[in-house]
Amino acid sequence: MHQLSPEMRACIDECLRCYQTCFGTAMTHCLEQGGKHVEPGHFRLMIACAEICKTAAGFMLMNSPHHKHACRECAEICEECARSCEQVGDMQDCIEACRRCAESCRRMAA
Amino acid sequence: MHQLSPEMRACIDECLRCYQTCFGTAMTHCLEQGGKHVEPGHFRLMIACAEICKTAAGFMLMNSPHHKHACRECAEICEECARSCEQVGDMQDCIEACRRCAESCRRMAA
Amino acid sequence: MHQLSPEMRACIDECLRCYQTCFGTAMTHCLEQGGKHVEPGHFRLMIACAEICKTAAGFMLMNSPHHKHACRECAEICEECARSCEQVGDMQDCIEACRRCAESCRRMAA
Amino acid sequence: MHQLSPEMRACIDECLRCYQTCFGTAMTHCLEQGGKHVEPGHFRLMIACAEICKTAAGFMLMNSPHHKHACRECAEICEECARSCEQVGDMQDCIEACRRCAESCRRMAA
């Protein structure tokens, strides 16, 4: 841990924050609201976003050179998830977590 | 997320902090130090600890009633990991993260 | 891998089979059917079941002594998931995968 | 599950097989052998390979359109892991599992 750059540590934090927000919101708020919140395309994106965030965080924690590809993919899925959340509505926490994570991941992938 | 109690949110944070510390330390510091740091019993405990921390966090994020069992198991593995880290030496961050996580998980499991 | 007992290898297979069936069915069939299939209690149980199956498999692959507790918890969640699937209906694959996994996990936990 | 193409189901099986082989071998055989088997670059690759295999399998089980990128990345890491295993020696099961998974993933990514 202590060997990782401050930028990478910040990105790990954003990824795990976004994982928590997307997974937690999907499994509580979305399931309880129903309707558009459990539309297959949207719900899958929430879970895919949570999953790639965990994977990207894991690759950075390992200091694996493959973290760049994982972060690039994570940024793409986060942006797509943020757009989907905007259309569903009532998903402000997810939108913010996804946008912050995407920005941080793009920097790591550069 | 917003529906979870402050205690549960704090425990999720401790679990994900302990995951980061154990997994990151195992995959960088321990592998690079070698010797006692990669002794099978110790190294497996570090990875098992990281894994159960992720699982316990996931169950709490879902607000699943099964989080109590996951947290009880997490507390046990974290304590065992902390003791193993004490014997290996030079693992202060892990010891602290494991002890804090174990204490928080015991409260959730009660 | 080659060091694991045949019983443990069989249990790993059942756990990963149950993970595939529960996670895959939840994220395709259940989301597309809607209604009872996305009722929060049922859907969370499907995802919790998939998650504990992965965790139990991981602990066995590590040959961790903690696999017994993970397998006991896995057996309980699988049985509960099978009962929930029976009430929802049209979930025969999940019921079978959960029951087989539960039986195998109970033997490992004994 | 029943909606997935036979090719995708086969690729999910290869990914979960490769996950089992790489993770299980790393955590038992490699840790017990020590020496080159726990050299940081090699060991991290084994764990990164196991991780991306789980992620790719998860994306396919969800029938997410993002599975193509995950499978492409999985194929690259599997190939790199197979080459590392060849250099370490005494890792035939991993080499075979990685090569089969890489080939299957390349087809899914195409």
Side-chain angles (χ1 to χ4, degrees):
Chain A
M1 290 287 286
H2 43 280
Q3 307 162 324
L4 306 179
S5 70
E7 290 76 18
M8 195 178 275
R9 297 183 65 133
C11 191
I12 293 167
D13 284 341
E14 295 293 356
C15 285
L16 291 178
R17 176 62 45 194
C18 190
Y19 153 69
Q20 281 186 68
T21 309
C22 286
F23 184 69
T25 302
M27 299 304 291
T28 57
H29 178 71
C30 290
L31 286 175
E32 281 151 28
Q33 293 295 308
K36 286 187 294 182
H37 287 84
V38 291
E39 187 274 322
H42 172 67
F43 199 92
R44 275 180 207 144
L45 206 38
M46 295 281 287
I47 300 298
C49 188
E51 180 66 22
I52 195 72
C53 284
K54 271 202 293 187
T55 302
F59 275 33
M60 287 186 280
L61 285 166
M62 276 193 254
N63 212 357
S64 161
H66 290 284
H67 79 270
K68 281 177 180 277
H69 289 170
C71 285
R72 188 182 312 147
E73 183 64 10
C74 191
E76 282 183 30
I77 296 178
C78 283
E79 285 292 353
E80 196 176 322
C81 188
R83 286 192 298 271
S84 181
C85 288
E86 283 175 336
Q87 294 188 331
V88 166
D90 195 18
M91 296 286 285
Q92 201 53 41
D93 287 356
C94 279
I95 295 169
E96 281 170 26
C98 286
R99 289 266 152 80
R100 285 171 61 100
C101 185
E103 192 181 318
S104 190
C105 278
R106 271 191 299 269
R107 260 182 267 126
M108 292 310 298
Chain B
M1 288 287 287
H2 42 280
Q3 306 162 325
L4 306 179
S5 70
E7 291 75 18
M8 196 178 274
R9 297 183 65 132
C11 190
I12 293 166
D13 283 342
E14 294 293 357
C15 285
L16 291 178
R17 177 61 46 195
C18 190
Y19 154 69
Q20 281 186 68
T21 308
C22 286
F23 185 69
T25 302
M27 299 303 291
T28 57
H29 177 72
C30 291
L31 287 175
E32 281 150 28
Q33 294 295 307
K36 285 188 294 181
H37 286 85
V38 291
E39 187 274 321
H42 173 67
F43 199 92
R44 274 179 209 147
L45 206 38
M46 295 282 285
I47 300 297
C49 188
E51 179 67 22
I52 194 72
C53 283
K54 271 201 292 186
T55 302
F59 275 34
M60 287 186 280
L61 286 166
M62 277 192 253
N63 212 358
S64 161
H66 290 283
H67 78 270
K68 280 177 179 277
H69 289 170
C71 285
R72 188 183 311 147
E73 184 63 12
C74 190
E76 281 183 30
I77 296 178
C78 283
E79 284 292 354
E80 196 177 321
C81 188
R83 287 192 297 272
S84 181
C85 288
E86 283 175 338
Q87 294 187 333
V88 166
D90 195 17
M91 296 286 283
Q92 200 53 41
D93 287 355
C94 278
I95 296 169
E96 282 170 27
C98 285
R99 290 265 153 80
R100 286 171 59 99
C101 185
E103 193 182 317
S104 189
C105 279
R106 270 191 300 269
R107 259 181 267 127
M108 293 309 299
Chain C
M1 288 287 286
H2 42 279
Q3 308 162 324
L4 306 180
S5 70
E7 291 76 18
M8 196 178 274
R9 297 182 66 133
C11 191
I12 293 166
D13 284 341
E14 295 293 357
C15 285
L16 291 178
R17 176 63 45 195
C18 190
Y19 153 69
Q20 281 186 68
T21 308
C22 287
F23 185 69
T25 302
M27 299 303 291
T28 58
H29 178 72
C30 290
L31 286 175
E32 281 150 27
Q33 293 296 308
K36 285 187 295 181
H37 287 83
V38 292
E39 187 273 322
H42 173 67
F43 199 92
R44 274 179 208 145
L45 206 38
M46 295 281 286
I47 300 297
C49 188
E51 179 67 21
I52 195 72
C53 284
K54 272 201 293 186
T55 302
F59 275 33
M60 288 186 279
L61 286 165
M62 276 193 254
N63 212 359
S64 161
H66 290 284
H67 79 270
K68 281 176 180 275
H69 289 171
C71 285
R72 187 183 312 147
E73 183 64 10
C74 190
E76 282 183 30
I77 296 178
C78 283
E79 284 293 354
E80 196 176 324
C81 189
R83 285 192 298 271
S84 180
C85 288
E86 283 175 337
Q87 294 188 332
V88 166
D90 194 18
M91 296 286 285
Q92 200 53 40
D93 287 356
C94 279
I95 296 170
E96 281 170 27
C98 285
R99 289 267 152 79
R100 285 171 61 99
C101 186
E103 192 182 318
S104 189
C105 279
R106 270 191 300 268
R107 259 182 267 127
M108 293 310 298
Chain D
M1 287 289 284
H2 42 279
Q3 308 161 323
L4 306 179
S5 70
E7 291 75 19
M8 196 178 273
R9 295 182 67 132
C11 191
I12 293 166
D13 283 341
E14 295 294 356
C15 284
L16 291 178
R17 176 63 44 194
C18 190
Y19 154 69
Q20 280 187 68
T21 309
C22 286
F23 185 69
T25 302
M27 299 304 291
T28 58
H29 178 72
C30 290
L31 287 175
E32 280 150 29
Q33 293 296 307
K36 285 188 293 181
H37 286 84
V38 291
E39 187 274 321
H42 172 67
F43 199 92
R44 275 179 208 145
L45 206 38
M46 295 281 286
I47 300 298
C49 188
E51 180 67 22
I52 194 73
C53 284
K54 271 201 293 186
T55 302
F59 276 33
M60 287 186 279
L61 286 166
M62 277 193 253
N63 212 358
S64 160
H66 290 284
H67 79 270
K68 280 177 180 276
H69 289 170
C71 285
R72 187 184 313 148
E73 184 63 10
C74 190
E76 281 183 30
I77 295 179
C78 283
E79 284 292 354
E80 196 176 322
C81 188
R83 287 192 297 272
S84 181
C85 288
E86 283 175 337
Q87 294 188 332
V88 166
D90 194 17
M91 296 286 285
Q92 201 53 41
D93 287 356
C94 279
I95 296 170
E96 282 170 27
C98 286
R99 289 265 152 80
R100 286 170 59 98
C101 185
E103 193 182 318
S104 189
C105 279
R106 270 191 300 267
R107 259 182 267 127
M108 292 310 299

